[in-house]
């Protein structure tokens, strides 16, 4: 039986609240490649730096979007200097009353990154320095049928310095240039 009667009753349903499914946080060193393969090791940590915010656990049900594991993530990845750089360059991160918060929004930091390489790696007992080469696809000023596809965009290399130091037996990122392409 199907009714053709339209109801004026307003159904008052609560908005469902949910948190995105997320794996528990894992210290980057747990899954790091063997340091004997120094190029893979550096690239792994560069990637971890670039996407450190993906390890944040944010209570999305809380309208303030407080990060609940900020100190844990930062202290397992960065030196004090690295933390300062990250806090300066992460546009969605802010602090209020000494607590880290994450603003809602999209993170498209490396959407134009098409290749990542490392050169000039120097490993000392407690320090690793390297040059990271990021190849980016450069969007055209005016799109045409040909340039609409990112595969047809011009390519440009950006070289940035990357430094890791060993503190208390653990490798941590001390210096990196994250948003190199924004400053040209």
């Amino acid at each position: 039986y199907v009714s053709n009667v339209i109801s004026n009753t307003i159904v008052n349903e609560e908005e469902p609240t949910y948190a995105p499914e997320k794996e528990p946080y894992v210290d980057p060193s747990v899954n790091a490649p063997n340091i004997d393969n120094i190029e893979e090791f550096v690239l792994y940590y560069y990637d971890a730096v670039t996407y450190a915010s993906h390890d944040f656990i944010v209570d999305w049900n809380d309208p303030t979007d407080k990060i609940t594991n900020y100190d844990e993530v930062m202290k397992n990845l960065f030196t004090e200097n690295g933390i300062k750089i990250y806090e300066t360059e992460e546009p969605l991160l802010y602090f209020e009353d000494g607590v880290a918060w994450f603003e809602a929004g999209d993170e498209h930091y490396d959407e134009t990154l098409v290749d990542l390489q490392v050169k000039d790696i120097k490993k000392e007992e407690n320090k690793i320095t390297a040059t990271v080469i990021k190849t980016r696809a450069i969007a055209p000023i005016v799109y045409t049928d040909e340039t609409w596809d990112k595969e047809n965009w011009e390519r440009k290399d950006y070289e940035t310095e990357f430094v890791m130091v060993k503190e208390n037996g653990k490798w941590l990122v001390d210096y990196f240039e994250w948003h190199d392409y924004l400053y040209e």
Side-chain angles (χ1 to χ4, degrees):
Y1 173 78
V2 176
S3 172
N4 290 331
V5 178
I6 298 175
S7 171
N8 288 333
T9 306
I10 297 173
V11 178
N12 197 4
E13 293 182 25
E14 280 188 36
E15 285 287 320
T17 57
Y18 59 90
E21 289 186 26
K22 188 167 188 128
E23 296 294 321
Y25 171 72
V26 177
D27 178 342
S29 65
V30 171
N31 295 315
N34 188 313
I35 196 162
D36 292 336
N37 188 339
I38 193 71
E39 185 175 342
E40 281 186 22
F41 187 82
V42 169
L43 286 172
Y44 172 85
Y45 272 95
Y46 181 81
D47 191 51
V49 164
T50 304
Y51 294 102
S53 64
H54 292 207
D55 291 324
F56 291 151
I57 297 173
V58 177
D59 183 357
W60 298 109
N61 292 321
D62 181 336
T64 58
D65 299 334
K66 178 181 177 182
I67 301 170
T68 60
N69 67 338
Y70 183 78
D71 288 337
E72 179 184 18
V73 170
M74 300 308 278
K75 290 178 181 178
N76 282 318
L77 187 55
F78 297 104
T79 63
E80 287 300 316
N81 188 59
I83 289 172
K84 288 177 190 169
I85 293 169
Y86 186 87
E87 289 176 352
T88 301
E89 293 199 8
E90 169 53 77
L92 301 179
L93 178 70
Y94 69 99
F95 293 87
E96 192 173 291
D97 298 326
V99 177
W101 306 86
F102 212 62
E103 290 190 51
D106 274 338
E107 288 185 87
H108 295 288
Y109 303 125
D110 279 345
E111 66 183 5
T112 62
L113 185 67
V114 292
D115 192 29
L116 189 63
Q117 298 176 22
V118 179
K119 71 176 187 179
D120 302 330
I121 302 170
K122 295 178 183 77
K123 182 180 178 285
E124 301 168 16
E125 184 177 340
N126 293 315
K127 186 175 185 178
I128 298 170
T129 59
T131 301
V132 175
I133 305 165
K134 298 184 254 185
T135 302
R136 296 198 179 279
I138 308 301
I141 294 172
V142 176
Y143 288 90
T144 65
D145 287 344
E146 183 179 304
T147 61
W148 190 254
D149 183 4
K150 186 168 38 174
E151 295 302 314
N152 296 325
W153 294 3
E154 175 188 350
R155 301 293 192 255
K156 185 167 182 179
D157 290 342
Y158 297 88
E159 292 188 6
T160 62
E161 186 179 4
F162 189 73
V163 179
M164 295 184 72
V165 296
K166 197 175 204 179
E167 289 184 357
N168 301 317
K170 186 173 194 165
W171 287 102
L172 300 171
V173 177
D174 188 56
Y175 181 83
F176 64 102
E177 296 172 20
W178 188 9
H179 294 299
D180 56 283
Y181 65 99
L182 295 177
Y183 303 114
E184 291 216 356

